[in-house]
Amino acid sequence: MAKIWFTSNGISTTPRELNWGLTRLGRSEDNDLKLDHPSISSHHCQIELGLDFVRIRDLGSTNGTFIDCQRIQEARLEPGQTLRLGDLEVVIERSLASITVPQVEPPTRPQSVKLGDGTESCLNHPAVRAAWRCTHCRNLFCNPCIHYLHIKGGKLHKFCPRCHNQVEMIVWGDGPSTKKSIWGQIKGVFKGD
């Protein structure tokens, strides 16, 4: 970050922000900073502001660009040096404060967990057994989590709430229930089961 202001006959302008990269100075309207002063050429000079440098380049001005009273075509402006464009003295103030960006850990995404019966939980509900697996992202979900789409006259489609691909039912290997229905019990009596 840098600020620039100009002094002529002891009168200073208001400081302005100096853009990163190239800034053209001169009397013409198409300059980045228009300087309405008789000693300034239409396209007087350009200032290049980098992270750790300021470079000045004269653009063929009539009254010249000077660093520490020496006319330059292109030079690096070091801290403490004076810059003059024609009859204007220029002050460039840079802030060299280092910036520390804190390291931020990305949030951890929820995961399915193993349940006591050997099955896995829904991604969004760690205490609920998952019933569906996404065919794309492979995440597990319970019935309330998946999205349903029923097209009139067609079949019901089920989709992953994360990536919106289709889901498939999970068969956990419980097998058929060992408890028999009433009719199964009656048949078992006659068969001797």
Side-chain angles (χ1 to χ4, degrees):
M1 176 104 102
K3 291 189 181 293
I4 186 170
W5 63 92
F6 306 93
T7 305
S8 177
N9 299 327
I11 300 172
S12 290
T13 63
T14 305
R16 296 176 63 180
E17 284 282 320
L18 190 60
N19 296 329
W20 291 106
L22 296 176
T23 303
R24 285 190 332 176
L25 291 84
R27 275 198 335 254
S28 290
E29 294 289 332
D30 62 344
N31 288 294
D32 300 307
L33 273 174
K34 183 177 183 261
L35 302 174
D36 196 16
H37 191 274
S39 68
I40 301 297
S41 296
S42 297
H43 297 100
H44 197 95
C45 73
Q46 73 180 17
I47 298 174
E48 182 181 0
L49 177 63
L51 290 175
D52 60 349
F53 68 91
V54 176
R55 185 177 313 281
I56 313 297
R57 183 171 160 240
D58 188 81
L59 298 175
S61 65
T62 304
N63 294 319
T65 302
F66 301 85
I67 292 180
D68 286 342
C69 298
Q70 289 189 342
R71 191 170 186 150
I72 57 110
Q73 290 304 309
E74 186 171 342
R76 191 172 168 139
L77 181 67
E78 299 296 338
Q81 290 183 313
T82 58
L83 174 63
R84 185 168 51 88
L85 311 178
D87 293 335
L88 288 179
E89 289 191 29
V90 182
V91 177
I92 297 177
E93 185 178 275
R94 289 182 28 210
S95 170
L96 297 175
S98 62
I99 298 171
T100 304
V101 178
Q103 186 172 354
V104 178
E105 292 294 324
T108 56
R109 296 190 88 173
Q111 294 182 341
S112 295
V113 294
K114 284 269 189 206
L115 298 175
D117 61 359
T119 62
E120 291 187 56
S121 73
C122 170
L123 186 69
N124 299 322
H125 305 100
V128 177
R129 180 191 226 187
W132 302 94
R133 176 180 288 117
C134 176
T135 58
H136 181 73
C137 69
R138 310 301 292 167
N139 286 318
L140 306 176
F141 300 98
C142 62
N143 282 326
C145 285
I146 62 169
H147 296 173
Y148 295 91
L149 174 65
H150 188 267
I151 299 172
K152 187 174 181 179
K155 82 178 214 184
L156 181 66
H157 297 276
K158 300 166 187 85
F159 297 99
C160 173
R162 287 276 170 114
C163 69
H164 309 293
N165 285 287
Q166 290 196 354
V167 293
E168 60 189 2
M169 184 175 274
I170 301 172
V171 179
W172 288 111
D174 293 341
S177 174
T178 54
K179 186 175 178 183
K180 293 183 180 180
S181 67
I182 300 267
W183 181 246
Q185 291 176 12
I186 293 170
K187 283 179 15 181
V189 169
F190 292 110
K191 287 184 177 181
D193 290 341

